Amino acid sequence: MLITAVWGATFLVVHIAVQFSGPWFFVGMRFLAAGLLSAVIFHRALRGMRWRDVGAGAAIGSMLYLGYGLQTVGLQTISSSTSAFITAFYVPLVPLLQWLCFRRRPSAMAFIGVGLAFIGLLLIADPGSLTLGWGPGEIATLVSTLPIAIEIILISVFAGRVDLKRVTVVQLTVAGVLGLLTMPVVGEPVPAFSWVWLLAAVALGVASCAIQLTMNWAQRAVSPTRATIIYAGEPVWAGIIGRIAGDRLPGIAIVGAALIVAGSLVSEIAPRSRRHRGTASAANTSMVRVHSAEPHPELEGRALT
């Protein structure tokens, strides 16, 4: 929940930065800065790098590059509110992709929670005031929702199987390198030096490092569906930050924020009851078994220790 506050600020920062830099250059610099920072912090963990860590980091990093890259391309020509509205499509995509690819049907309460959160996102974006003409920016942003959803699922797939420090370094570095390699492919030139894109890239690099590390750690005990609903708090913070920057937060957006919070609460009902039943059953048999894809936080903490 805390990283959604940081996440919410990125729309405004990126929207300003791409006025002084090409999208792929900025994405490359942003994630290279994040990769270098994480490598310095976790340099000791890199000594034990395994192919499993490299593979997981490369897969997640590729989705990170596509999702953020296409979203940044869109922010060149569309407003941040329009971008947030279109990006909201990743919310219902996560449980649907999870069901389609892994045959894991989310609980009914999870679907209700996702629905409430998605409606809340639409209200926050105030779609009644938007005139969506499907130009290149809108299309790029819409396509970006697919890799964003896949990224969340991949993080949960690899959680607990790899070293999160090594994976964080690899995925951020891969996203940065792919961003820069895309420049000659699309014919994007190196921009003139500007303190705006440099400071923005460094600041977002630090933020990206903190965000991805937190996601990799937290999704060891949080399912993709529940994680998606928590991440849906991003536009709430984006609205608050926009208000501070001078944007007026309409009443309809406040209703949307309330629906997102309600979606987060509703999604907790069924998973908690299953978890408690599993703990009680284990106590009765004097054995500890993990049946769910969501390990108990206390047991997970002990295992990590």
Side-chain angles (χ1 to χ4, degrees), residues 121-159:
L121 285 168
L122 299 184
L123 295 179
I124 283 180
D126 192 12
S129 65
L130 298 177
T131 56
L132 291 179
W134 291 99
E138 287 83 4
I139 294 174
T141 307
L142 179 63
V143 175
S144 75
T145 61
L146 182 59
I148 289 174
I150 295 175
E151 176 204 350
I152 294 174
I153 293 176
L154 285 177
I155 290 175
S156 289
V157 169
F158 292 119

Side-chain angles (χ1 to χ4, degrees), residues 60-71:
I60 297 172
S62 297
M63 294 301 103
L64 197 65
Y65 145 77
L66 285 174
Y68 279 83
L70 292 172
Q71 186 184 83

Side-chain angles (χ1 to χ4, degrees), residues 104-188:
R104 281 191 216 156
R105 186 182 185 280
S107 67
M109 298 306 293
F111 273 117
I112 294 174
V114 169
L116 289 174
F118 183 60
I119 294 173
L121 285 168
L122 299 184
L123 295 179
I124 283 180
D126 192 12
S129 65
L130 298 177
T131 56
L132 291 179
W134 291 99
E138 287 83 4
I139 294 174
T141 307
L142 179 63
V143 175
S144 75
T145 61
L146 182 59
I148 289 174
I150 295 175
E151 176 204 350
I152 294 174
I153 293 176
L154 285 177
I155 290 175
S156 289
V157 169
F158 292 119
R161 303 179 185 179
V162 295
D163 184 277
L164 66 91
K165 298 176 182 177
R166 299 169 192 155
V167 169
T168 299
V169 174
V170 173
Q171 70 187 55
L172 292 172
T173 304
V174 166
V177 171
L178 289 177
L180 294 180
L181 290 177
T182 304
M183 291 177 62
V185 176
V186 300
E188 179 183 313

Side-chain angles (χ1 to χ4, degrees), residues 8-23:
T10 60
F11 271 104
L12 180 61
V13 176
V14 174
H15 186 68
I16 295 173
V18 292
Q19 308 304 317
F20 298 85
S21 166

